[in-house]
Amino acid sequence: MPVTDPVADMLARLRNGHQALHADVEIPLSRMKADLARILKEEGFVEDYKVGEYTISIKLKYVDGRPLIAGARKVSTPGRRVYVGVNEIPRVRNGLGICVLSTSRGVMEGSRASSENVGGELLCEIW
């Protein structure tokens, strides 16, 4: 059965993997999900990721046996896109989390989008 919202599916797989205390999760490959995995690694939310031919393998990160990703929220959905300008990019959990945007310059984290003076579609928030 095809997935209508791939980013929401990825966030659900990460959340389910953390709840089950798995070491890693497998996610079907797409370019946007690979970019999101790259951002999660750069920001320290996951240990590592590997892009295979058809899947992305993400190694989950735990601190003292507790998942590092406390929560994730999908903002834009296929039925309701949410766009933000450079001055409207939200701070997540008072700076403890990140927001991910799909911009004209690619998928990037909110603070990087601010520094590059670009807005876009607000995909998700992770804390």
Side-chain angles (χ1 to χ4, degrees), residues 67-78:
L68 193 62
I69 297 176
R73 184 174 75 93
K74 179 78 168 100
V75 179
S76 278
T77 63

Side-chain angles (χ1 to χ4, degrees), residues 11-79:
L11 294 175
R13 287 174 189 248
L14 289 172
R15 182 172 35 252
N16 292 341
H18 270 309
Q19 286 180 346
L21 299 177
H22 288 303
D24 59 351
V25 293
E26 295 284 326
I27 298 170
L29 178 63
S30 79
R31 185 173 167 185
M32 184 175 289
K33 289 189 267 187
D35 289 340
L36 185 56
R38 174 187 49 81
I39 290 170
L40 289 175
K41 178 167 179 2
E42 287 173 358
E43 296 296 323
F45 285 102
V46 297
E47 281 191 36
D48 200 10
Y49 74 100
K50 290 188 182 180
V51 177
E53 190 173 349
Y54 299 109
T55 61
I56 303 169
S57 178
I58 298 178
K59 187 169 179 168
L60 300 175
K61 195 171 191 178
Y62 297 93
V63 176
D64 297 328
R66 299 184 66 204
L68 193 62
I69 297 176
R73 184 174 75 93
K74 179 78 168 100
V75 179
S76 278
T77 63

